[in-house]
Amino acid sequence: MRIGNCILTLAGCIVAFGGMQVAQVADGAEGDKGPAPRPAVSSLPKIPSELHNALQDRNFAEAVTLIDELAAKKGQADVDYLMYLKGMAL
């Protein structure tokens, strides 16, 4: 009996998610232009890929060095976010 309920729940989820994907494609499609651009997922500042990769690889010493180099640049807008990342890396 429990397995039957699990299968019904799983089938319902598949139908629901499949319907959402169709709705997203239908809403975003405008003729031959393709889907509309997606909005930003986050409002966090963009960081260079080298810094992102160093943080993801848990190479914190390299990440701190990269953050120090970025923060030292004149006119850097997101120094506070870089200092947050440095604190997390340390």
Side-chain angles (χ1 to χ4, degrees):
M1 191 70 170
R2 291 182 187 176
I3 294 174
N5 289 341
C6 291
I7 291 173
L8 287 175
T9 304
L10 180 61
C13 290
I14 291 171
V15 170
F17 286 122
M20 285 180 14
Q21 290 174 350
V22 170
Q24 289 174 353
V25 171
D27 290 341
E30 294 181 14
D32 293 331
K33 295 179 184 177
R38 293 184 176 190
V41 175
S42 170
S43 62
L44 294 175
K46 294 189 184 257
I47 59 173
S49 61
E50 299 87 23
L51 176 55
H52 177 267
N53 292 338
L55 290 169
Q56 288 295 316
D57 293 340
R58 296 181 182 202
N59 188 351
F60 298 122
E62 181 183 347
V64 169
T65 304
L66 290 169
I67 290 169
D68 288 338
E69 291 172 3
L70 286 170
K73 286 185 181 177
K74 189 173 185 176
Q76 181 70 26
D78 303 316
V79 176
D80 54 344
Y81 182 64
L82 291 173
M83 292 299 108
Y84 166 77
L85 290 177
K86 182 178 179 178
M88 295 300 289
L90 290 172

